[in-house]
Amino acid sequence: MRPFLAVLLLFGFPAFAQPLDDCSRYTPTVLDDWMRSADQRVAAYGHTCRAMNVDALLTRQVREGIIATDSSRWIEACRGQLATIDAAVAVNRRWGGPDSARNLDRLNRLYLKYRRFIASAEPGGG
């Protein structure tokens, strides 16, 4: 294998069985590249990481008081996150690889979390 190709494979794309805990290390630009990859494994990992990183961002914004959980802005952020999760689920289902079940489990937990947030934030909600 050519050295350049080896470096590209090591640093340009996630390794097999990449831990989801590493998602926060990747910039949105890197994740965008992975999400557009023709390699379904790479695309699935990129989409899953994007959903997890958006979750971390929204959680931090709520904790820091940047977004109030009873605001229309919060409801729209949650709806946007559900769309991000739906896209990640679709890619993972298409791929169906060995880590897709793990990714889908994490995405399902996020989906339920944001559905509950929307239900409790909307008028008449919990």
Side-chain angles (χ1 to χ4, degrees):
M1 180 180 296
R2 295 180 182 185
F4 173 75
L5 183 56
V7 169
L8 181 61
L9 290 174
L10 285 174
F11 299 105
F13 294 106
F16 288 100
Q18 189 75 19
L20 292 176
D21 294 339
D22 287 350
C23 289
S24 63
R25 303 164 102 189
Y26 303 115
T27 65
T29 303
V30 168
L31 295 178
D32 286 343
D33 289 344
W34 290 351
M35 290 165 55
R36 288 189 299 272
S37 173
D39 182 336
Q40 289 294 302
R41 176 188 57 85
V42 173
Y45 185 71
H47 277 274
T48 303
C49 282
R50 169 60 54 86
M52 291 176 59
N53 289 354
V54 169
D55 174 57
L57 174 68
L58 291 174
T59 300
R60 189 181 84 236
Q61 289 180 335
V62 167
R63 186 177 55 246
E64 294 174 358
I66 297 169
I67 299 178
T69 58
D70 60 351
S71 69
S72 61
R73 184 173 167 215
W74 173 247
I75 293 171
E76 289 309 308
C78 288
R79 287 185 178 141
Q81 173 65 337
L82 287 175
T84 300
I85 294 166
D86 286 341
V89 165
V91 171
N92 275 279
R93 285 189 177 148
R94 274 194 308 271
W95 171 47
D99 293 323
S100 64
R102 172 201 68 181
N103 296 352
L104 288 167
D105 178 61
R106 183 71 64 99
L107 292 166
N108 186 53
R109 284 185 271 147
L110 286 176
Y111 182 85
L112 293 173
K113 174 182 177 178
Y114 284 91
R115 289 298 309 158
R116 282 192 301 271
F117 283 159
I118 289 171
S120 67
E122 288 179 326

